[in-house]
Amino acid sequence: MSSLQNALQPDSQAVADPYVNDFSITVATVNGSGSQTSNSTLLRALFKMGIPVSGKNLFPSNIQGLPTWYTIRVSRDGFIARREEHEIVVAMNPATFARDLADVLPNGAFLYADDIRMPINRKDVSVYPMPVKALVRESGAPAELRDYVANMVYVGVLAHLLGIHLDKIYQALEFHFKGKKKPIEMNYQLVHKAVEWAKVNLEKTDPYRVEPMNATSDLIMADGNTAAALGAIYGGVHFVSWYPITPASSLAEGLHAFLPTMRKDPEEEGKNTFAVIQAEDELAAIGMAVGAGWSGLRAMTSTSGPGLSLMTEYAGLAYFAEVPIVVWDVQRVGPSTGLPTRTAQGDLTFAHLMGHGDTQQVVLIPGSVNECFEFGWKAFDLAERLQTPIIVLSDLDLGMNQWMTEPFRYPDTPIDRGKVLWEEDLDRLGGDWGRYRDLDGDGIPYRTLPGNRHPQAAYFTRGTGHDENARYSEDNEVWHKLLDRLKRKFNTARQYVPKPIIESMPNPAFGIISMGSTHPAVEEARHQFSQRGLNSDFLRIRAVPFTEEVHDFIDQHDRLYVVEMNRDGQLYQLLLIEYPQFAHKLISVAYTDGLPMTARRVRQSILAFEEK
């Protein structure tokens, strides 16, 4: 069991009532209505009460006006994957009112703004009308802000009905507004007014409530994009070039926000030791990163699937010219523009084979916010050690949603610049070196950086055929040896990339292999299987190329299900290519609908095979 799982175990005081600290709240609003503030306030207040929670934002790709849903899962057992069931629904959008009412589970609760005049034909749920407009008018909020603070009414009503502590709501508002008293007080006053109204006017008839726990005291809340940005800073990033694209923009925006306070040279009157450039398009963004990486800077860019497509030629250049760069791909749904605000894992095979000809890129796949931080710095070490692009595959769910996580840990190893020759090194070699010469048998050559003053330091960087001394060549034997060396380097990468996470149970009936943000759903499904007497082993892949542990795990099991969020089973495909001798053991249960994976989906997909 991981340290995070241990931290999420309920304390001994936790109640056993099935309706306490174990349900989902879904809020239905419209995009651009200010609901992000109210929803994050609820999420963080519950978290501050010590209750394990997770939040999933389902929002449209336009700027304003279309339906949006936000689901808060409250789970005393610490399960944080998306659930398909909704015990409590708050309806603030007339356009989805009927659908939202139908989604409430029997015995659940339905809250709605009372100016929505639509029939409520369910007798099996508790119904709570809320005088949203009237309370907002009475609050004294400025007319131009009323539509944005109106959502605080349901925060107050839920606080009363569920027992959410008001001091925790205030602390959540303090965090959201960064201590600015005026917006804090304006929003809290409306919350308090809604609570007082609910005390007088509502009789609670649903069974759901919350009670304080002590399961989150050692945890923080963060999104993966912010974690990746902080990890990159701690990894010594020098240069960031990017072009806005959902859902990756907040990664670069996080770097832009944090770097000015964390990366100034105290001996140079606070001079910046970094550069962040918003390029005119994705081509320019990766082109700048390649130039910066070639010059010796720790360089990166971030994008999503459509942007990655545009970056392909430069990624192939960096692979062949052996220039270290880092590319974060925060995946969304494709093909083409696809669903820009939905999540998927559909870029794996494309990222791995990014570039024409015989190209194999090294790919890292974080499965938690903490790993986004870790891979944020580790990707630079790998890029420079291997002298190659490192593609990091996150996704919208991991990147943009708030997750509970252990506090980030400062890197415990020194920065790895790889095989760099300086003046004294070239003196020892008598200037006899070749930029693309493999001296160690690992496929990784040595390089010099611009600024090296040794007269033999210079070389031509080439995207065309070249020999080991970086001289242009079309000789067939030279070309053959060059491609063999690049393949050898890719195989060397196996000893440096993050190893998979493996979790075992006694007498497993089958194994499960997955990657990335499907981890919480798989964990919960495995718990449900074990309650049925079906134990399972689990391996989460964190990198391509695969390591020896992946081979051994497959070898040790008779039947393995590969869980991933794409249509064609891309991880399954790569496993078949790498281990054709195990093809009879592997079963793809890939599924994608744009929403985060659920335990129910994992369970049903696997049982469909197990029960045959």
Side-chain angles (χ1 to χ4, degrees):
M1 183 177 288
S2 69
S3 53
L4 177 57
Q5 287 174 295
N6 280 320
L8 291 178
Q9 294 304 301
D11 66 353
S12 59
Q13 304 300 316
V15 292
D17 189 325
Y19 299 109
V20 175
N21 297 348
D22 192 18
F23 52 85
S24 290
I25 308 167
T26 294
V27 180
T29 58
V30 296
N31 206 30
S33 65
S35 59
Q36 180 179 356
T37 301
S38 53
N39 295 333
S40 63
T41 296
L42 282 170
L43 182 74
R44 195 167 291 276
L46 291 163
F47 175 76
K48 287 179 175 292
M49 287 180 66
I51 306 169
V53 289
S54 61
K56 304 295 184 188
N57 191 21
L58 178 61
F59 61 103
S61 56
N62 75 330
I63 295 174
Q64 191 167 359
L66 290 182
T68 181
W69 292 269
Y70 190 86
T71 297
I72 296 172
R73 181 175 184 183
V74 181
S75 172
R76 62 169 176 256
D77 296 319
F79 295 122
I80 55 177
R82 182 178 72 90
R83 285 177 72 238
E84 300 174 35
E85 300 80 18
H86 314 276
E87 285 85 358
I88 300 171
V89 173
V90 180
M92 302 288 286
N93 182 8
T96 63
F97 189 89
R99 170 182 173 180
D100 298 329
L101 177 59
D103 281 345
V104 187
L105 288 178
N107 204 35
F110 183 71
L111 293 71
Y112 71 100
D114 67 1
D115 58 291
I116 302 176
R117 310 289 184 180
M118 299 186 71
I120 299 176
N121 52 13
R122 292 193 59 179
K123 304 298 184 182
D124 59 341
V125 299
S126 297
V127 177
Y128 303 107
M130 302 177 296
V132 175
K133 290 186 176 180
L135 289 176
V136 172
R137 282 195 303 268
E138 295 170 8
S139 72
E144 67 274 12
L145 296 179
R146 288 177 183 174
D147 289 344
Y148 294 99
V149 300
N151 294 310
M152 286 296 160
V153 171
Y154 67 72
V155 174
V157 174
L158 283 171
H160 168 69
L161 291 174
L162 298 176
I164 303 173
H165 293 184
L166 291 183
D167 62 323
K168 304 304 182 185
I169 289 178
Y170 193 89
Q171 292 171 19
L173 288 169
E174 283 185 311
F175 180 88
H176 183 83
F177 289 109
K178 298 179 172 61
K180 297 175 183 176
K181 287 296 182 182
K182 187 174 180 179
I184 294 170
E185 293 299 331
M186 181 175 62
N187 283 272
Y188 183 73
Q189 285 176 14
L190 190 51
V191 172
H192 190 267
K193 183 175 286 291
V195 170
E196 294 304 310
W197 175 88
K199 287 179 180 178
V200 173
N201 294 280
L202 294 182
E203 179 186 356
K204 182 175 173 65
T205 56
D206 71 274
Y208 298 100
R209 59 191 174 89
V210 296
E211 289 187 359
M213 294 177 61
N214 190 32
T216 66
S217 58
D218 296 327
L219 305 177
I220 62 173
M221 292 200 78
D223 63 87
N225 284 354
T226 299
L230 290 170
I233 293 170
Y234 279 73
V237 64
H238 298 109
F239 183 87
V240 183
S241 49
W242 68 294
Y243 183 76
I245 185 171
T246 302
S249 293
S250 60
L251 199 164
E253 289 165 352
L255 284 160
H256 190 265
F258 296 130
L259 278 166
T261 61
M262 302 178 74
R263 289 291 300 280
K264 291 181 180 291
D265 190 338
E267 297 180 2
E268 295 288 340
E269 298 181 354
K271 184 178 179 181
N272 290 338
T273 59
F274 65 90
V276 179
I277 299 176
Q278 182 176 324
E280 61 266 33
D281 54 34
E282 289 89 350
L283 278 167
I286 191 171
M288 293 175 186
V290 171
W294 171 84
S295 72
L297 301 181
R298 292 202 144 187
M300 65 171 287
T301 187
S302 59
T303 190
S304 192
L308 199 69
S309 298
L310 293 171
M311 293 179 176
T312 301
E313 185 174 359
Y314 268 118
L317 170 65
Y319 168 84
F320 192 59
E322 300 179 71
V323 176
I325 61 169
V326 172
V327 180
W328 275 81
D329 173 14
V330 187
Q331 298 168 94
R332 66 192 208 187
V333 176
S336 188
T337 304
L339 301 176
T341 59
R342 301 291 188 269
T343 195
Q345 297 175 321
D347 294 348
L348 176 63
T349 52
F350 173 58
H352 171 48
L353 303 173
M354 190 175 171
H356 55 275
D358 291 314
T359 303
Q360 288 180 289
Q361 305 284 7
V362 176
V363 178
L364 304 186
I365 313 170
S368 67
V369 168
N370 212 281
E371 286 182 353
C372 286
F373 176 83
E374 177 189 350
F375 293 2
W377 62 263
K378 190 167 287 184
F380 288 115
D381 282 359
L382 287 169
E384 294 207 281
R385 167 55 51 186
L386 298 170
Q387 298 176 32
T388 197
I390 300 296
I391 316 296
V392 188
L393 290 185
S394 178
D395 61 45
L396 183 146
D397 183 30
L398 189 54
M400 293 190 69
N401 285 323
Q402 293 288 321
W403 297 78
M404 300 183 303
T405 182
E406 298 166 354
F408 305 140
R409 293 184 293 274
Y410 193 86
D412 56 3
T413 56
I415 285 177
D416 183 1
R417 298 305 307 268
K419 298 181 179 182
V420 179
L421 298 174
W422 300 104
E423 286 86 347
E424 58 271 23
D425 301 311
L426 292 173
D427 280 339
R428 284 196 300 271
L429 294 172
D432 180 21
W433 77 289
R435 170 63 184 94
Y436 298 114
R437 188 183 301 170
D438 181 10
L439 296 178
D440 305 317
D442 58 4
I444 306 171
Y446 287 78
R447 62 178 175 140
T448 59
L449 301 178
N452 188 317
R453 297 177 181 273
H454 195 282
Q456 300 300 317
Y459 64 90
F460 281 106
T461 303
R462 297 188 182 276
T464 54
H466 50 267
D467 65 14
E468 63 181 16
N469 293 311
R471 295 179 300 216
Y472 180 74
S473 173
E474 295 187 13
D475 183 274
N476 59 301
E477 287 299 322
V478 169
W479 180 260
H480 178 74
K481 290 179 181 178
L482 172 55
L483 288 188
D484 275 358
R485 180 179 64 77
L486 291 174
K487 181 68 174 182
R488 190 160 62 249
K489 181 167 73 168
F490 181 77
N491 287 327
T492 296
R494 300 178 197 275
Q495 65 184 274
Y496 294 111
V497 298
K499 297 182 184 300
I501 299 296
I502 299 175
E503 298 172 5
S504 300
M505 291 181 174
N507 304 313
F510 51 83
I512 302 175
I513 298 175
S514 80
M515 62 177 174
S517 66
T518 61
H519 191 165
V522 172
E523 277 192 324
E524 186 174 359
R526 292 180 67 230
H527 172 75
Q528 294 169 355
F529 282 134
S530 67
Q531 292 183 317
R532 295 179 177 217
L534 281 174
N535 283 357
S536 62
D537 288 346
F538 175 48
L539 177 142
R540 176 165 60 83
I541 286 172
R542 301 199 293 166
V544 180
F546 304 132
T547 64
E548 183 179 353
E549 289 79 3
V550 179
H551 171 278
D552 293 345
F553 185 84
I554 299 175
D555 187 39
Q556 293 162 8
H557 294 82
D558 295 327
R559 189 167 64 262
L560 299 114
Y561 296 97
V562 184
V563 177
E564 52 190 311
M565 294 190 300
N566 54 64
R567 184 192 68 187
D568 297 332
Q570 297 181 19
L571 178 59
Y572 170 77
Q573 291 172 9
L574 293 185
L575 289 169
L576 289 182
I577 292 171
E578 183 78 11
Y579 311 114
Q581 70 275 27
F582 295 141
H584 62 288
K585 297 185 173 189
L586 298 169
I587 302 168
S588 176
V589 289
Y591 180 81
T592 182
D593 59 2
L595 302 178
M597 186 67 74
T598 66
R600 178 181 178 181
R601 171 62 58 182
V602 175
R603 185 183 72 248
Q604 290 180 343
S605 297
I606 292 177
L607 285 179
F609 285 92
E610 286 293 305
E611 294 172 354
K612 287 182 179 179

